[in-house]
Amino acid sequence: MHLLWVLIIGGVIGWLGGLIVGRDVPGGIIGNIVAGLVGAWLGGLLLGSFGPIVADFAIVPAILGAIVVVLILRAILRGTRRA
């Protein structure tokens, strides 16, 4: 049951990251989940854990990390589309 909550919260975090940046995450819901999980890991690594914690995610660093992941994906995909 915990894994289901991690996937749901990871998807919501990835969706919020894409929403804040103003760019959809490629890959749909799977892309949102991956961006949320990687963003939560990156945010926790760089910023620690502060703010509310849901399903073992510190929400504030996770959303900030997801924003960084979405921006990186956007830069990578923008570079590959020009070629």
Side-chain angles (χ1 to χ4, degrees), residues 37-56:
L37 294 176
V38 173
W41 172 77
L42 182 65
L45 190 68
L46 295 175
L47 302 172
S49 61
F50 61 91
I53 296 178
V54 177
D56 293 335

Side-chain angles (χ1 to χ4, degrees), residues 1 3 8 12 15 17 24 30-32 37-38 51 54 60 66-67 70 74-75 80 82:
M1 191 65 170
L3 178 63
I8 290 171
V12 169
W15 173 73
D24 287 335
I30 302 297
N32 282 332
L37 294 176
V38 173
V54 177
V60 175
I67 290 170
V70 171
R74 183 178 176 184
T80 58
R82 289 183 183 171

Side-chain angles (χ1 to χ4, degrees), residues 6-19 29 32-33 36 63 66:
V6 167
L7 293 176
I8 290 171
I9 299 300
V12 169
I13 289 170
W15 173 73
L16 283 173
L19 191 67
I29 193 162
N32 282 332
I33 292 171
I63 291 174

